[in-house]
Amino acid sequence: MSSAGPATRRERLILYHLTAVAYVGCAALVIFTFVRSSDYESASALALYGVTPWLYLPVYVAVGFAFSARKWVLLALSIVLVMVHVVTIWPDIKPPNRLSAEVKSAPRLRVFSANLLFENSDLSGIIDEVRASGPDVAIFEEVTAAHRKRLLNDPGLAGLSNRVFSESSDTVMLSRLRIESSEIWRKTWRPMARARVSTGIGTVEVVAVHTVAPINEVAIARWREMLDALHDLAQERTLPLLLVGDFNATVYHPRFDDLLDTGLTDAHSARGTGFTGTWPRNRPFPPLLRIDHALSSKELVPIKATYGTGRGSDHRPIVVDYALVGGTST
């Protein structure tokens, strides 16, 4: 009896502490869920929104613990949080959207996008990827003057002979398709290359997106302004629209979700490759955050969405094939 008593007390103490930790963890996730739903934006909150899929993983352990320990209130709470998690990440874990016969037989458009990284001194790997993928439109972000010179003069990119660029923008757009009109869009704090491209269904508007990273209050204000400008552009579109590049936001950021609510489709989510990342690459672990996106209006249906390697950059490029299925959007 004397030897059993202390062991029982120890087990009870361990059970008490494990239960307390589980409740505290669940409470923290409940608070996070409400904060995220309130669209609160601070540097720390936005950083946590980005890793939303991973934050909820401990609750699955809590489910097992609560069931085995017969902690029914804790079990109910943790099951609710599991449901919240699944609903939240469902757009990125659901099966690929079905493709209709019309989509399968429609004209194609291939888009390549890469963040070059300002510090990158060797673009040969990314340029090789562009050549290998054979895009109709190639978009680049974090382009320096040296990068721009290399992109515009590299013989491997000569087939992408229609170009939109400026010293005032860190984005560059190269196209093998005829560009009907173009500009450096200056409605946002960071100017972006923008063009109207001639395709198999007529004119498609393409924007090379690069927002600032929301790492402090000043940057958050600029990031918010840029995403809001893209939201307005998407909402007011009169042509098929394609927004491609580095949004410095994941699908779990409420403001990015608002952008999708305008009717745009995220290509990687639609093709069942959304639960993957583009940044940061070249680490001991796979990229955790997908902050590079290709968003399209209903006339451009993503049929394939993959990733490149991005040697020399801290981002993986994205490559998306679209089926062109409609005319002018309203």
Side-chain angles (χ1 to χ4, degrees):
M1 293 292 293
S2 60
S3 61
T8 301
R9 288 195 295 271
R10 188 181 308 118
E11 289 173 357
R12 289 176 177 171
L13 185 62
I14 291 173
L15 180 62
Y16 172 81
H17 282 101
L18 288 176
T19 303
V21 168
Y23 269 115
V24 170
C26 287
L29 285 174
V30 169
I31 293 171
F32 171 76
T33 301
F34 279 104
V35 169
R36 182 173 172 272
S37 65
S38 73
D39 297 349
Y40 174 70
E41 293 174 341
S42 69
S44 56
L46 291 171
L48 288 175
Y49 296 162
V51 294
T52 292
W54 321 111
L55 283 183
Y56 285 86
L57 292 182
V59 80
Y60 292 85
V61 177
V63 169
F65 167 74
F67 181 78
S68 62
R70 298 186 178 184
K71 302 290 184 180
W72 307 124
V73 174
L74 177 62
L75 179 62
L77 176 59
S78 55
I79 287 176
V80 169
L81 286 169
V82 166
M83 294 171 63
V84 169
H85 184 224
V86 172
V87 170
T88 301
I89 67 174
W90 178 249
D92 274 348
I93 62 173
K94 66 178 180 61
N97 295 350
R98 294 184 63 182
L99 301 177
S100 67
E102 179 191 11
V103 167
K104 293 177 181 178
S105 61
R108 298 286 192 263
L109 175 72
R110 175 170 290 179
V111 178
F112 178 99
S113 174
N115 182 309
L116 300 181
L117 181 64
F118 288 128
E119 293 80 18
N120 186 4
S121 60
D122 183 8
L123 301 187
S124 58
I126 292 176
I127 289 176
D128 286 345
E129 287 191 73
V130 178
R131 292 171 59 191
S133 65
D136 298 298
V137 178
I139 287 170
F140 304 94
E141 310 89 47
E142 290 203 25
V143 179
T144 66
H147 292 160
R148 189 162 50 247
K149 182 177 180 180
R150 174 70 188 277
L151 293 172
L152 298 179
N153 294 288
D154 193 287
L157 303 179
L160 299 164
S161 57
N162 302 304
R163 283 93 186 268
V164 185
F165 61 91
S166 169
E167 292 182 359
S168 64
S169 175
D170 75 320
T171 62
V172 168
M173 187 185 306
L174 308 181
S175 174
R176 74 168 186 83
L177 304 175
R178 183 172 67 89
I179 293 177
E180 300 174 5
S181 64
S182 65
E183 66 172 332
I184 299 300
W185 191 42
R186 302 182 187 279
K187 188 174 180 179
T188 66
W189 181 82
R190 175 178 277 164
M192 304 179 192
R194 178 182 178 185
R196 293 186 170 186
V197 178
S198 182
T199 75
I201 58 167
T203 304
V204 171
E205 186 164 8
V206 185
V207 180
V209 176
H210 187 207
T211 72
V212 297
I215 57 174
N216 55 47
E217 290 305 314
V218 172
I220 289 171
R222 292 171 176 170
W223 173 83
R224 184 185 297 124
E225 176 259 346
M226 298 180 84
L227 286 178
D228 287 349
L230 292 169
H231 179 279
D232 293 344
L233 178 66
Q235 204 163 41
E236 298 165 4
R237 66 183 181 269
T238 57
L239 293 169
L241 179 64
L242 191 56
L243 306 179
V244 184
D246 176 6
F247 289 73
N248 272 302
T250 72
V251 295
Y252 307 109
H253 286 92
R255 196 167 295 270
F256 186 85
D257 193 45
D258 290 343
L259 179 56
L260 294 178
D261 285 343
T262 63
L264 299 181
T265 297
D266 183 286
H268 287 79
S269 293
R271 298 315 310 147
T273 56
F275 204 61
T276 46
T278 59
W279 182 90
R281 66 168 298 278
N282 264 357
R283 302 292 174 88
F285 49 86
L288 294 177
L289 305 182
R290 187 164 61 87
I291 59 177
D292 302 87
H293 306 270
L295 309 184
S296 61
S297 59
K298 62 182 180 181
E299 301 85 1
L300 294 92
V301 178
I303 58 174
K304 186 178 180 181
T306 58
Y307 300 100
T309 301
R311 193 182 78 203
S313 175
D314 57 344
H315 290 243
R316 289 201 295 175
I318 59 175
V319 186
V320 180
D321 289 343
Y322 287 99
L324 307 177
V325 298
T328 302
S329 175
T330 58

